[in-house]
Amino acid sequence: FFFLAIGIYFSINKSKMSIEKDYVSPSEGLNIYNKKTHLFLDVRTTDENLDNAIPNSLLIPLQDLNDRINELEDYKSKNIIVYCASGGRSANATTFLRRFGFQAQNLEGGMFSWNGPTTKY
């Protein structure tokens, strides 16, 4: 009985830690951004990022994500909001990251739908 109880405890706590949905709306994203609790990951190209980005976000272009995933290891236990221009590339990146155990969510509509702060680098 003891081992059964321990197993149930860990399965319940693990399910509480994982993110249920794989996307956030632009308004949810802005609320999350304002709380400063998540990493925002930009998977667009360097040129797109230089033109306009969410402040303090990390840039890893989608085509480099597989080779640079180790750069995200420190964020494995944190929540990540992934964004691109319109949400397509970031949806692919979100799926990829979730397969590797990251708590990632796609920002629906990407930068085209983002109403929060932006910066130019």
Side-chain angles (χ1 to χ4, degrees):
F1 177 76
F2 174 76
F3 292 109
L4 177 62
I6 294 294
I8 291 171
Y9 172 79
F10 282 111
S11 67
I12 289 171
N13 283 331
K14 185 178 180 186
S15 66
K16 286 180 182 177
M17 290 174 55
S18 65
I19 297 173
E20 291 183 19
K21 63 181 190 169
D22 59 357
Y23 63 89
V24 294
S25 70
S27 61
E28 289 171 316
L30 182 56
N31 287 336
I32 290 167
Y33 176 82
N34 288 331
K35 292 178 185 175
K36 299 182 184 340
T37 56
H38 292 50
L39 169 70
F40 278 72
L41 175 64
D42 187 351
V43 295
R44 300 174 302 155
T45 66
T46 302
D47 287 342
E48 288 174 297
N49 178 269
L50 288 172
D51 183 49
N52 165 2
I54 296 174
N56 302 311
S57 58
L58 176 64
L59 171 66
I60 302 179
L62 180 60
Q63 65 270 19
D64 299 336
L65 188 57
N66 187 54
D67 295 331
R68 294 178 57 191
I69 195 165
N70 60 323
E71 294 177 34
L72 295 172
E73 280 302 314
D74 289 344
Y75 301 99
K76 195 122 188 193
S77 64
K78 300 182 185 200
N79 297 320
I80 301 172
I81 304 297
V82 186
Y83 72 95
C84 65
S86 63
R89 287 174 285 179
S90 54
N92 289 333
T94 298
T95 300
F96 176 80
L97 290 170
R98 289 171 73 102
R99 283 187 190 142
F100 282 89
F102 289 91
Q103 298 178 51
Q105 293 178 287
N106 182 32
L107 178 62
E108 284 186 311
M111 289 301 288
F112 291 142
S113 298
W114 179 251
N115 290 320
T118 60
T119 189
K120 286 184 176 237
Y121 290 104

